[in-house]
Amino acid sequence: MKISLKWLNDFVKIDDVPAEELARLLTLKTAETEGIYSKEKYFSKIFTCRIIKAEKISEKYFKCRVISDKEYTVISGAPNTKVGLITFHVKPTGMIDGVTIATKSINGEISEGMLLSGRELGINSDHSGLFKLPEDTKIGVDIGTFTDFYDNVIEIDNKSLTHRPDLWGIYGFSREIKAILGREKNNPELFDPQTIMDLPPFPVEIDDREKCYRYVGVKVDNIKIEQSPLNIQIRLANTDHVPRNLIVDLTNYVMTEIGQPLHTFDGDIIKKIVVDSMKEETNFTTLDKVERRLPAGILMIKNLNTPIAIAGIMGGGNSDIKNDSKSLFLESANFDASHIRRMSTKLGLRTDSSSRFEKSLDPENALTGALRYLSLLKNFQKDIKISSSITDINYNPFKKNTIVTDYNYIKKMIGIEIKNETIKNILTSLEFDVEEDKDSIKITAPTYRSTKDISIKEDIVEEVVRIYGFNNVKPVLPRLHITAPIKNILDEKENSIKQILTYKYGLNEVDSHPWYDEKFLKRINFKLTDEIQIKNPITVDNRFLQKSLLPVLLKFSFENLKYFDQFSLYEFGKIFYNNTETENLGIIIVDKKTKNQDERTFLKLKLIVNDIFEILTGKEPEYKTPFQYQLINPSISSNIYFKNENGESFYTGYIGNIHPRINSLLDKKVVITFSQIDFEKICSYEKSTKFKHFSMYPQTNLDFSLLKNKKEKFNEFENSIKEFKNELIKDTLIYDIYEGENIPEGYESITIRFTIGSDQRTLTGEEIISFQNDFINFLKNKGYTLR
């Protein structure tokens, strides 16, 4: 959004305020400014002139004698160069778009400056010839003395205006400047509709009243398609519009000035306006000569039954103003913002009109826009004939928003003491109505602030403080009574386990959604059973809440296997079943780098699970015969149980290797071990912490390597070893598993490490040898062979 300061000065006096200061104030109090464009930095020494002599010196060039503030010799290549033409001349050392124009030789002739086209002036896009000025133009006058050419333009960040539809026009900013500077404001001159009340109304019918709130129209005859007055063209060019002709230019002029989009149709072909939505898809050629496929449901402006414009977005090529048009029909309407935004996005067609309508414009502005256009057109073309009264159909009269609050609330929210009178003056300067009662104030927002912006008490606070000045509010920490939050024990335990998994074992945490990806479930052949279905899923593939963390961790694993050979992942996630949800921990270890890793990865994960239970409960879990789990290899898996102080065992999860058929999906050999633990259930058991003195005497580690038949289940092997009892044992650890050279087929080597010692003395060599012999005899009785 670009704001012309000379145009803004029509409504509020600002010519005594530097542009930089005005931009600073707007940024602090209204909307963020992105920069200031000062035209005088890029253009200078441009004067009106008349060609008094034009001699053709080549096929391309004319040698001209022009009179401006004095006579100059200028070489022109424009085809419309002729004696008597009044145009613009930039004198030597003057600038055009930042380029200094010097006296130079062209075609062997000296040229003092340059005669200018509309494009070179930056007024329009016409470069076909010299810019033509009216015959009554005074000669030798600087362009800045009778036009707004040397303007300062402030560019506003559009994102900061999305909630302020009233600021999509220069007049809207004049209201803000009035309040900020405390100055008077002028209103735009409007046509008096009373003068044409006796004329017949133009026929307009609104069939879709949910998308069209208000429609204002009027027909005007005896119009002329001519160039707009110079200052109109300059103002439009300075605000990023391309002047075309007066009839079209005035629609852009009014839109830029008051923020109301308008559209003019060729009045000779319009019989009756019908506003309705399309019942089916249709092709339609817009003003830019592009044929577009319009969806069913899009709101259209029709001439009887023929579509002639996409409502609020762009007109059609079958009804636009032509060079020979003698009549126009003016449309000024108000449409549903969400519909315009959706259709504009769907068509990929964003216009100045749609960008304003989608902000929820003030419906009252529709009539104002039409009256402003008629006033301007009547001023420039005295002979026009308005052939209808103003047709104004308004099925949705808009109500102003009213908010009841009190001065103390406003002061409390701002945090400083402000006089009641100051608050009231700020609100009235913003054109709010303020009614004071004994204990409250009733504030009524104007319609242009009620469509989207002002609706709650906090909005009133914002209005007061921004005009008062955020810089006048000292930042002070509030005095509040602070109490310590209630500890979330589950979160604390979860964080402690995350520390162990991440830093001790090197696992990587992942985070996912609590629902299944059904496409991936089909890929791994994971069957749904009695999962809870989501009523409003994000997509059709996310309809069911998860009962297992295995599918999502497998999905992450499949992705990571593209880049890594070994990795371990974990996730704390919700599991949903029987209308309940519980926090579970899923861990997955993946290894495609090392051969014969089935039991090794299983034992690695088992060690991690044991550590988790030890930290949370002070005990290791029990491992028992597994249930049947989807995707889990039944021969290398186990249920996980926890035994409480009463000796009761409770199911808490499972551990196991993924079934080998998963390898067929990966096209590579890989070992994947997974465990899922009911974390909430484990955390519900109180950890029984027992303290004992450290032994003052040294301890000894003894390693025993023995052969285990692979057919023997590992938990059965563990339980057998645990049957060995000796008062010297301080700790028992399965230290290593090995299979390969020198190991008989069907067997594996297990290394068990005992830590032995005494709290009363240092062990003697005889005691250590006795322990070794006792354990060796125990192994023989159990049928194990010591390596």
Side-chain angles (χ1 to χ4, degrees):
M1 178 70 185
K2 293 188 175 180
I3 306 298
S4 160
L5 298 193
K6 287 186 179 290
W7 197 343
L8 182 63
N9 198 64
D10 286 355
F11 305 114
V12 60
K13 180 175 172 56
I14 56 164
D15 52 9
D16 58 339
V17 182
E20 293 75 13
E21 175 63 11
L22 201 61
R24 187 187 72 84
L25 289 172
L26 285 173
T27 296
L28 285 174
K29 299 175 182 288
T30 302
E32 183 179 354
T33 58
E34 293 189 326
I36 303 171
Y37 176 76
S38 297
K39 205 160 187 178
E40 61 186 6
K41 292 181 180 180
Y42 304 95
F43 294 82
S44 65
K45 297 184 179 181
I46 301 172
F47 287 75
T48 58
C49 72
R50 184 192 298 273
I51 300 175
I52 57 176
K53 184 179 180 182
E55 177 187 352
K56 196 170 182 66
I57 58 175
S58 70
E59 188 175 327
K60 183 177 180 181
Y61 293 109
F62 292 87
K63 180 179 179 181
C64 302
R65 194 68 179 166
V66 301
I67 185 168
S68 179
D69 58 333
K70 65 177 185 177
E71 288 192 14
Y72 296 88
T73 298
V74 186
I75 305 301
S76 171
N80 66 335
T81 303
K82 64 179 181 179
V83 174
L85 179 70
I86 300 176
T87 185
F88 285 110
H89 168 243
V90 55
K91 300 197 299 183
T93 72
M95 282 195 302
I96 294 295
D97 201 16
V99 177
T100 301
I101 305 300
T103 298
K104 62 181 180 179
S105 175
I106 299 176
N107 204 40
E109 300 285 347
I110 296 298
S111 181
E112 300 173 295
M114 179 179 174
L115 300 179
L116 302 173
S117 67
R119 191 170 76 181
E120 289 160 339
L121 283 163
I123 294 177
N124 56 40
S125 59
D126 184 15
H127 195 54
S128 62
L130 301 177
F131 191 89
K132 184 179 179 181
L133 289 169
E135 285 295 324
D136 59 353
T137 302
K138 191 174 180 181
I139 304 302
V141 179
D142 189 296
I143 190 173
T145 61
F146 66 102
T147 72
D148 293 345
F149 186 79
Y150 296 119
D151 198 359
N152 287 316
V153 178
I154 295 178
E155 186 167 2
I156 306 293
D157 177 16
N158 287 351
K159 295 189 293 295
S160 63
L161 300 179
T162 54
H163 68 300
R164 291 291 303 271
D166 60 304
L167 294 183
W168 285 79
I170 290 173
Y171 180 64
F173 272 93
S174 73
R175 299 188 188 105
E176 292 289 306
I177 299 299
K178 164 199 167 188
I180 292 170
L181 299 180
R183 298 188 173 182
E184 295 297 320
K185 176 176 66 67
N186 302 318
N187 295 320
E189 183 180 328
L190 304 180
F191 179 78
D192 184 3
Q194 299 296 323
T195 60
I196 55 173
M197 279 190 64
D198 295 335
L199 296 176
F202 194 89
V204 174
E205 179 182 314
I206 301 178
D207 289 344
D208 193 334
R209 302 178 184 181
E210 292 184 358
K211 297 174 186 173
C212 180
Y213 299 151
R214 190 173 188 177
Y215 196 97
V216 177
V218 62
K219 187 176 180 183
V220 182
D221 295 328
N222 202 32
I223 63 171
K224 295 178 182 178
I225 307 302
E226 60 184 354
Q227 191 179 63
S228 296
L230 180 59
N231 209 43
I232 294 290
Q233 294 186 62
I234 288 174
R235 285 188 169 186
L236 289 175
N238 287 346
T239 51
D240 270 1
H241 295 284
V242 178
R244 302 183 187 282
N245 59 64
L246 180 65
I247 302 304
V248 174
D249 289 350
L250 288 184
T251 62
N252 288 327
Y253 190 91
V254 172
M255 179 179 67
T256 306
E257 185 176 77
I258 67 172
Q260 175 63 37
L262 305 175
H263 189 71
T264 52
F265 300 98
D266 189 333
D268 290 331
I269 67 172
I270 305 298
K271 306 304 178 186
K272 177 184 178 181
I273 291 292
V274 177
V275 186
D276 196 11
S277 296
M278 297 300 297
K279 302 300 184 289
E280 56 187 24
E281 290 188 0
T282 187
N283 292 331
F284 182 73
T285 301
T286 44
L287 275 173
D288 53 3
K289 299 179 181 179
V290 176
E291 186 176 16
R292 304 176 189 275
R293 187 68 176 171
L294 305 184
I298 190 170
L299 189 67
M300 299 294 290
I301 310 300
K302 300 178 181 179
N303 177 26
L304 297 174
N305 294 319
T306 303
I308 54 175
I310 307 173
I313 299 177
M314 185 177 280
N318 59 352
S319 60
D320 60 325
I321 296 292
K322 305 293 191 301
N323 290 334
D324 58 351
S325 294
K326 301 298 181 185
S327 175
L328 70 83
F329 176 77
L330 176 69
E331 169 192 283
S332 182
N334 188 271
F335 305 108
D336 176 63
S338 60
H339 174 77
I340 299 299
R341 182 170 56 253
R342 286 197 307 272
M343 292 300 106
S344 175
T345 302
K346 198 164 190 176
L347 294 173
L349 180 59
R350 188 171 176 81
T351 61
D352 287 332
S353 176
S354 68
S355 65
R356 285 166 170 78
F357 278 124
E358 68 182 24
K359 303 299 186 299
S360 300
L361 293 181
D362 177 14
E364 297 299 314
N365 224 25
L367 180 58
T368 304
L371 298 179
R372 179 59 174 157
Y373 182 94
L374 292 177
S375 173
L376 290 167
L377 184 60
K378 187 73 174 174
N379 192 39
F380 296 128
Q381 292 189 359
K382 306 293 184 184
D383 296 332
I384 63 168
K385 179 183 178 183
I386 301 175
S387 55
S388 75
S389 62
I390 302 289
T391 300
D392 184 3
I393 300 179
N394 185 6
Y395 290 119
N396 297 278
F398 193 76
K399 295 181 180 179
K400 299 178 181 180
N401 286 344
T402 299
I403 297 163
V404 178
T405 183
D406 60 76
Y407 289 121
N408 289 333
Y409 175 80
I410 295 173
K411 296 174 191 177
K412 180 182 177 181
M413 292 296 290
I414 296 174
I416 60 173
E417 180 62 33
I418 304 176
K419 292 181 180 179
N420 293 355
E421 184 180 358
T422 300
I423 295 174
K424 182 178 180 180
N425 288 341
I426 288 173
L427 292 172
T428 54
S429 72
L430 290 168
E431 302 184 10
F432 288 77
D433 291 330
V434 181
E435 297 179 30
E436 296 178 319
D437 200 354
K438 184 178 180 181
D439 299 317
S440 63
I441 50 174
K442 181 181 177 183
I443 302 165
T444 303
T447 56
Y448 57 81
R449 298 297 302 277
S450 296
T451 60
K452 193 175 183 179
D453 185 18
I454 304 297
S455 59
I456 57 177
K457 293 190 294 183
E458 287 75 12
D459 292 332
I460 299 299
V461 175
E462 181 186 356
E463 293 301 297
V464 173
V465 71
R466 70 183 181 86
I467 299 300
Y468 184 77
F470 288 106
N471 54 313
N472 294 321
V473 180
K474 290 184 178 181
V476 179
L477 289 174
R479 287 180 165 272
L480 298 173
H481 178 67
I482 300 175
T483 57
I486 299 173
K487 284 187 177 181
N488 188 318
I489 303 299
L490 186 63
D491 281 351
E492 288 186 356
K493 291 184 177 181
E494 184 176 303
N495 288 332
S496 68
I497 297 302
K498 285 182 179 180
Q499 295 284 324
I500 297 296
L501 295 177
T502 302
Y503 297 110
K504 181 177 179 180
Y505 293 105
L507 276 64
N508 296 290
E509 185 181 9
V510 295
D511 192 20
S512 64
H513 297 296
W515 47 74
Y516 285 132
D517 180 347
E518 292 180 57
K519 284 185 179 178
F520 185 73
L521 295 188
K522 290 178 182 178
R523 181 182 175 189
I524 61 176
N525 197 27
F526 189 91
K527 305 297 184 184
L528 295 172
T529 52
D530 56 347
E531 280 77 4
I532 298 172
Q533 186 167 354
I534 302 170
K535 286 186 177 180
N536 54 340
I538 292 178
T539 71
V540 293
D541 294 318
N542 303 129
R543 296 176 299 161
F544 296 97
L545 294 172
Q546 63 188 7
K547 282 177 60 179
S548 171
L549 295 175
L550 176 56
V552 69
L553 285 174
L554 269 180
K555 184 178 180 182
F556 281 123
S557 299
F558 278 30
E559 289 298 316
N560 278 277
L561 275 168
K562 298 175 183 176
Y563 312 102
F564 306 102
D565 291 339
Q566 292 176 310
F567 54 87
S568 302
L569 309 174
Y570 73 92
E571 179 181 16
F572 284 92
K574 294 289 186 182
I575 297 301
F576 303 85
Y577 60 94
N578 296 333
N579 293 320
T580 62
E581 61 177 87
T582 58
E583 186 83 357
N584 275 235
L585 169 61
I587 305 174
I588 197 163
I589 298 177
V590 181
D591 189 336
K592 78 176 184 71
K593 188 174 182 181
T594 311
K595 294 181 179 180
N596 303 318
Q597 280 290 82
D598 291 44
E599 290 192 2
R600 188 179 294 272
T601 56
F602 181 89
L603 292 174
K604 179 181 177 181
L605 183 50
K606 183 181 177 185
L607 178 65
I608 295 173
V609 171
N610 288 349
D611 206 2
I612 292 171
F613 272 78
E614 182 68 33
I615 292 168
L616 295 176
T617 68
K619 297 180 180 181
E620 288 190 356
E622 295 180 333
Y623 296 90
K624 299 183 179 181
T625 304
F627 303 141
Q628 289 291 324
Y629 298 100
Q630 290 195 71
L631 309 183
I632 297 296
N633 187 347
S635 63
I636 313 179
S637 61
S638 179
N639 281 349
I640 304 173
Y641 288 82
F642 174 74
K643 183 180 289 187
N644 64 13
E645 297 296 333
N646 300 324
E648 300 171 313
S649 292
F650 296 93
Y651 173 81
T652 55
Y654 68 95
I655 182 174
N657 283 8
I658 302 301
H659 200 282
R661 67 179 175 81
I662 291 295
N663 284 329
S664 64
L665 301 176
L666 296 169
D667 194 28
K668 59 188 71 173
K669 289 291 183 180
V670 62
V671 176
I672 304 176
T673 307
F674 172 77
S675 179
Q676 180 169 307
I677 303 168
D678 189 332
F679 192 74
E680 279 191 40
K681 185 178 285 187
I682 300 173
C683 292
S684 66
Y685 299 116
E686 290 292 332
K687 181 177 180 180
S688 179
T689 306
K690 296 180 180 180
F691 296 93
K692 63 180 180 179
H693 290 290
F694 289 104
S695 175
M696 297 172 60
Y697 302 96
Q699 297 178 341
T700 301
N701 290 332
L702 297 176
D703 291 350
F704 299 88
S705 293
L706 54 99
L707 295 176
K708 180 185 85 71
N709 194 314
K710 288 185 177 181
K711 293 181 180 180
E712 182 182 7
K713 292 183 178 179
F714 200 86
N715 63 332
E716 294 175 357
F717 169 75
E718 265 192 311
N719 291 332
S720 294
I721 298 302
K722 287 179 180 179
E723 291 178 14
F724 177 69
K725 306 295 183 182
N726 190 294
E727 63 179 7
L728 299 180
I729 296 175
K730 297 298 182 183
D731 190 24
T732 304
L733 177 67
I734 296 177
Y735 185 70
D736 187 35
I737 300 174
Y738 171 74
E739 54 182 310
E741 189 176 353
N742 298 325
I743 303 299
E745 187 175 350
Y747 286 85
E748 57 189 349
S749 173
I750 308 292
T751 299
I752 300 171
R753 172 170 289 178
F754 287 106
T755 301
I756 62 173
S758 171
D759 294 334
Q760 286 79 38
R761 65 190 184 280
T762 300
L763 297 181
T764 65
E766 290 79 7
E767 287 176 306
I768 294 173
I769 292 171
S770 175
F771 179 89
Q772 290 175 324
N773 292 334
D774 288 346
F775 184 63
I776 291 170
N777 290 330
F778 170 81
L779 292 177
K780 288 180 180 179
N781 294 332
K782 285 291 186 179
Y784 295 110
T785 302
L786 193 68
R787 289 184 63 206

